Amino acid sequence: MNAAMPTRPHSPAAGAQAVSAGSADLIDASHQRSLKYGIAAADEPDFSSPARHVLHEAIEENRFLFQHAAPVMETLYDQIVNTHSMVLLTSARGMVLHSLGDPDFLEKASRVALTPGMDWSERGKGTNAIGTALTEEEALTVHGNQHYLDANKFLTCSCSPIFDPYGQVIGALDVTGDHRSYHQHTLALVRMSAQMIENHMFADIFPKAIRLHFHSRSEFLGTLVEGIAVFSPEGRFLSANRSAQFQFGLSFAALKTHTFQSLFGMPIGALIDLFAGALPAPKQLVMHNGVSVWCRVKIKNPSAWTPPVVSPAVAAPAPAPAFSRKPHFSSLQYLNTGDPQVAAVIHKVRMVAGKDIPVMILGETGTGKDLLAQAIHGDSPRAGQPFVSVNCASIPETLIESELFGYEEGAFTGARKKGAIGKIAQAHGGTLFLDEIGDMPKHLQARLLRVLQERKVSPLGAGKEVDVDVAVVCATHKNLKDMIARGDFREDLYYRLNGLVVRLPALRERTDFETVVQKILQTLCTQGENIQIAPEVMALFKRYAWPGNFRQLHNLLRTAVVMVGCEGSITTEHLPDDFVEELKLDRQAAPTAPLPGPATPTAAGPDAPAATGAPESRGEAFRLQDVALAAMAEALRQHKGNVSAAAKALGVSRNTIYRKKDQLPADLLR
C-alpha cells in the first residue's frame, strides 16, 4: 500500500464513519503474519523491560513527533477520561513512547506490558491495533477476540498511523480500553487527532515555505479536512498532507515532480500578489485536474521570504508585495469579557508588565491559565521574542531535565550530535511559561531556583554556563503551600516565583458565561457557518458546574459544531450522553430547583457582560453540584462501593460516577 496516498476521501462524513470496509480482511492477513512470526495465541505477555536508556534514546529519536503529539494526546484524553481507557503514542517501529490513562485501566494494561518502552509491533505481540496499523499503514480497530494473543482479548484498541510531512510513517496514536466499554466513535476521534498532529508538523518544519490551505468547499478551510500543500519560494513542491494528495489525485511521489505552476497554472509570484494584504479573503483557484478549490496562503516567516525571479512574460505588473506584521491587538483585552474577577486579574498583570516581576497563576484545571500566560507575554515589551511553554506534568520525568536545561554532545547515550538547546535557553529574551509547576520533580527545583537567581543555565554535560534573560510566568492547580508543608515543594523556589499571584475563577463562578460561550463558538465556526445555541441548551449550560472548566466546554462545543453542520442550532441531541446524564442526576437531586431561562438581551450588544442575576445562577449550579455529589456518595455507601449498582439506582451510567468520584466527600464514603 502506498503510504502517502489515502484510500478514501478525507471528508467529515468519511472521518465520522472511520471503519474500513476491508477491516476484516486486514485482521485475517495480520493473523496469518502472526503465525509466520512463530507466535502462539497462548503465549504469555513479555514483561522483559528494556534498559532505561533505550526508552530515553527512543524518545530523543522521536522528539519531533513527541513535541507535536503530546498536547494533542492531552486533548484526546480529556475526551475519553473515566472510560476505562488510555491514550498511547508509539514510534514507527511500535515502541510505546508515552501514555495517558485512567489509573484503574493503567494498572490492567501493565498486566499485558502495555507500558512505555515495550514493543507492540506485530512481530512482538501478534495482531493488535498498534502493530497492525503500522504494518498496513491504515487506521483500524482491533476488538476483543480479534487480538492474536489470548492475553490481549480483554482489550479494544483503535489506532491510526501518523505520517510525517515527507509522507513516511513516523509513529502511531492509539486509544486502548476495556472491550466491554467499546464506543464506535473512538476510531474517528483517533483519526482526527492523528491528522491534527500531522497538520501541526507542517506549520513547524518548513520555516521559509509558502503554505497553501485549500478545499473545494470554503467552509472546510481551517478544519482538519483541509488540504495543505507546501512550496518553496521558487514554487517547487515540498510536501502535502493526505487530504491534499487526495484532492490533487496524485501520490506523494508523483507530486515531487510538480511545481506550483504545473499544479495551479500560475506562477508562485502571482499567488503572492493575489493574497497581498493584512487579512485577505479566501480565493478560488483551479487545479491541474480542473477542480476549483477555495484557498488561503500562509507564510511562516515573511521576513525570510525572498520573492522569486519571474519571467517578464508571465510576471504580474504589480511590484512584489511587502510583508508586515498584523496590527497588534491586546490579547489581555481579548480575555476581558465582562467578569469583574477576570478584569481585576488583567488590571494587576498590566501594572507589572515589563517590570521583571514573576507572575504565578492559580486556578482549577481548564480555567485558561495558559491563555493568560500567552496574553501576558503578548502585551509585554518582550512580545517580539520567544514565548516558550513547558508543561511540567506532561514531560516524562526522565526527560524533563534535558528538556529544560539542554545538553551537550555525548552527555548521555543517544544524545544527538551537537547537543540540544534547552527550553530555558530557547526563551532567552522572551517569556518562559512553567505550566503545572507543582509537578516539577523535587531534585530539579533546586537547579531551577539557581537559574532564576543567577540568570545562568548549565546544559547537561557542559563545563560552562550560558547567560539567560527570561521573564517567568508559572501556573498550577495545586496548593503549593500544602506541598511545602509536606516537603514536596521547595519554599525558597515558591517565594522566588510568586512575585504577583493571581487566581483565575472557575467557569461556574464567572458572570460572563454567555459571552464566553459565544466567543468559543466563534473560534470553532469556519467562514460561512452560522451556528447558534438553542435557549434550552444555554439554560442547561448555565445550571451545570463545569468541573473541567473551559477545556470541557470547548471540547463539548467542538463536537456539537461538527454534529450540527454548517448552520443551525445546538440542541440537546448534540450533547454527549454522559453530560446529559450528569444534568439528569442534578435534577433528581434537587427536583424543585428551577431551570434558569435564557439571558435577557441588553442594549450593550453581544460583548456586554451577562445579565444581572448570573452570579446567583452560578452559585445555584454549584449548590446543585454539591447535592448531586452527596447523592452519588450516599448511593455508593448504600451499595458498599459497587459503582454499577449505585449507577443503576441513580439512573445514570457508570462513567458519570467515575467522572465525579474524585470529587466525592471522603467522610461520606464509609
Side-chain angles (χ1 to χ4, degrees):
M1 181 184 296
N2 190 328
M5 191 65 187
T7 58
R8 60 184 66 83
H10 281 253
S11 68
Q17 297 301 318
V19 178
S20 170
S23 59
D25 293 336
L26 296 180
I27 299 296
D28 289 342
S30 175
H31 277 256
Q32 294 301 316
R33 288 192 297 270
S34 302
L35 277 171
K36 292 179 181 178
Y37 295 147
I39 304 171
D43 284 351
E44 293 295 321
D46 180 9
F47 292 99
S48 56
S49 178
R52 186 175 179 181
H53 72 85
V54 174
L55 175 59
H56 193 290
E57 290 169 8
I59 295 177
E60 276 301 315
E61 181 183 341
N62 292 275
R63 181 178 288 270
F64 178 73
L65 168 66
F66 188 93
Q67 71 184 35
H68 288 89
V72 177
M73 288 179 70
E74 290 189 20
T75 301
L76 177 57
Y77 178 56
D78 285 340
Q79 296 177 359
I80 64 166
V81 66
N82 292 331
T83 60
H84 307 291
S85 303
M86 64 190 297
V87 182
L88 301 111
L89 177 71
T90 80
S91 70
R93 294 190 291 271
M95 176 184 280
V96 178
L97 302 174
H98 186 43
S99 66
L100 297 169
D102 298 338
D104 62 332
F105 188 76
L106 287 175
E107 192 275 330
K108 290 182 181 178
S110 67
R111 300 176 194 170
V112 290
L114 192 56
T115 55
M118 304 306 293
D119 173 23
W120 275 74
S121 65
E122 274 191 344
R123 287 184 179 274
K125 297 291 187 295
T127 304
N128 72 91
I130 293 171
T132 306
L134 287 171
T135 300
E136 297 287 353
E137 297 186 349
E138 185 165 337
L140 53 79
T141 293
V142 176
H143 179 56
N145 290 331
Q146 292 178 327
H147 286 88
Y148 189 79
L149 292 180
D150 292 339
N152 296 334
K153 291 182 178 179
F154 74 96
L155 302 172
T156 287
C157 312
S158 298
C159 184
S160 174
I162 302 170
F163 292 87
D164 69 14
Y166 301 102
Q168 302 300 312
V169 173
I170 192 175
L173 185 68
D174 173 86
V175 167
T176 289
D178 189 303
H179 75 284
R180 294 169 297 183
S181 57
Y182 166 67
H183 197 289
Q184 61 179 343
H185 297 306
T186 302
L187 185 57
L189 281 174
V190 173
R191 289 184 60 172
M192 290 171 63
S193 299
Q195 198 163 347
M196 189 180 301
I197 295 169
E198 293 172 357
N199 288 356
H200 285 175
M201 292 179 185
F202 277 87
D204 196 42
I205 204 168
F206 300 107
K208 297 182 180 180
I210 297 168
R211 210 162 69 242
L212 185 72
H213 298 244
F214 64 97
H215 199 279
S216 58
R217 294 172 60 180
S218 62
E219 63 267 26
F220 289 149
L221 289 177
T223 71
L224 287 176
V225 299
E226 70 177 358
I228 303 176
V230 186
F231 300 90
S232 73
E234 297 76 32
R236 180 170 52 88
F237 170 82
L238 296 177
S239 189
N241 70 354
R242 285 186 277 175
S243 179
Q245 293 168 47
F246 181 84
Q247 293 184 68
F248 284 134
L250 297 169
S251 69
F252 194 93
L255 283 167
K256 287 183 177 179
T257 66
H258 281 269
T259 64
F260 177 80
Q261 182 153 357
S262 68
L263 289 169
F264 287 95
M266 61 190 298
I268 195 77
L271 174 75
I272 300 302
D273 288 344
L274 187 64
F275 282 88
L279 292 170
K283 295 180 172 60
Q284 281 189 293
L285 299 179
V286 178
M287 298 192 297
H288 69 104
N289 54 11
V291 176
S292 177
V293 291
W294 290 92
C295 303
R296 283 197 179 102
V297 170
K298 293 182 181 178
I299 301 178
K300 181 177 179 183
N301 188 4
S303 62
W305 186 77
T306 304
V309 177
V310 182
S311 166
V314 295
F323 293 95
S324 60
R325 290 181 177 272
K326 293 179 182 178
H328 175 67
F329 296 100
S330 168
S331 43
L332 283 170
Q333 185 59 41
Y334 178 82
L335 297 181
N336 192 358
T337 52
D339 181 81
Q341 298 176 83
V342 176
V345 168
I346 291 173
H347 175 70
K348 290 177 181 178
V349 298
R350 277 178 172 159
M351 292 182 69
V352 302
K355 302 295 195 301
D356 195 27
I357 294 175
V359 178
M360 179 180 290
I361 307 170
L362 306 179
E364 295 178 9
T365 298
T367 49
K369 298 186 290 292
D370 54 341
L371 293 178
L372 178 59
Q374 292 181 52
I376 291 171
H377 171 76
D379 281 8
S380 76
R382 297 173 179 261
Q385 301 301 318
F387 174 85
V388 178
S389 176
V390 180
N391 189 316
C392 302
S394 66
I395 302 175
E397 189 169 336
T398 56
L399 278 185
I400 192 169
E401 186 170 17
S402 60
E403 191 81 9
L404 271 176
F405 303 104
Y407 56 84
E408 291 289 303
E409 180 180 358
F412 50 82
T413 304
R416 67 176 66 171
K417 290 184 177 181
K418 299 184 181 180
I421 300 175
K423 296 288 190 182
I424 297 175
Q426 290 177 28
H428 178 66
T431 301
L432 177 67
F433 175 46
L434 298 170
D435 197 7
E436 302 297 355
I437 187 67
D439 290 287
M440 175 167 284
K442 185 77 177 292
H443 71 281
L444 295 183
Q445 294 176 20
R447 284 199 66 185
L448 176 62
L449 175 64
R450 185 169 179 270
V451 169
L452 298 180
Q453 288 177 335
E454 301 183 11
R455 301 298 176 125
K456 294 178 184 292
V457 63
S458 177
L460 298 178
K464 60 181 180 180
E465 294 183 320
V466 180
D467 291 333
V468 288
D469 170 27
V470 295
V472 178
V473 180
C474 68
T476 183
H477 71 281
K478 295 185 174 181
N479 189 321
L480 295 184
K481 290 187 176 180
D482 284 352
M483 293 182 67
I484 292 171
R486 296 194 305 267
D488 295 331
F489 199 85
R490 291 181 63 105
E491 187 174 20
D492 47 4
L493 177 59
Y494 173 79
Y495 286 112
R496 182 64 183 79
L497 291 170
N498 78 336
L500 171 67
V501 180
V502 294
R503 181 181 297 276
L504 284 176
L507 184 56
R508 62 179 173 270
E509 299 169 356
R510 295 183 58 149
T511 61
D512 56 350
F513 180 78
E514 289 195 43
T515 303
V516 167
V517 171
Q518 293 300 333
K519 276 187 172 286
I520 293 176
L521 197 59
Q522 288 171 15
T523 66
L524 294 171
C525 293
T526 57
Q527 185 173 3
E529 288 184 336
N530 180 25
I531 298 177
Q532 305 296 323
I533 296 178
E536 64 272 16
V537 171
M538 183 62 78
L540 292 175
F541 283 178
K542 290 172 71 176
R543 71 184 287 259
Y544 184 62
W546 298 103
N549 291 294
F550 291 99
R551 187 175 292 120
Q552 181 186 11
L553 175 61
H554 182 275
N555 288 339
L556 185 146
L557 288 175
R558 181 174 64 175
T559 303
V561 165
V562 172
M563 294 177 69
V564 169
C566 297
E567 57 182 66
S569 293
I570 296 173
T571 64
T572 52
E573 69 181 26
H574 303 123
L575 304 180
D577 291 345
D578 60 341
F579 179 79
V580 175
E581 287 173 349
E582 288 183 35
L583 289 168
K584 177 182 176 183
L585 180 60
D586 284 347
R587 195 174 300 176
Q588 288 175 343
T592 58
L595 287 177
T600 303
T602 65
D607 291 329
T612 58
E616 285 75 12
S617 65
R618 301 266 66 74
E620 177 185 88
F622 192 45
R623 290 192 296 275
L624 284 173
Q625 182 74 0
D626 289 342
V627 173
L629 290 172
M632 285 186 190
E634 180 64 22
L636 284 168
R637 186 176 64 185
Q638 290 179 0
H639 294 278
K640 299 181 180 180
N642 186 317
V643 174
S644 296
K648 186 175 181 180
L650 292 169
V652 299
S653 72
R654 292 183 305 160
N655 287 343
T656 299
I657 295 182
Y658 279 120
R659 189 183 294 273
K660 298 288 188 181
K661 199 169 183 181
D662 291 340
Q663 302 174 44
L664 296 173
D667 60 334
L668 291 178
L669 290 171
R670 294 195 293 270

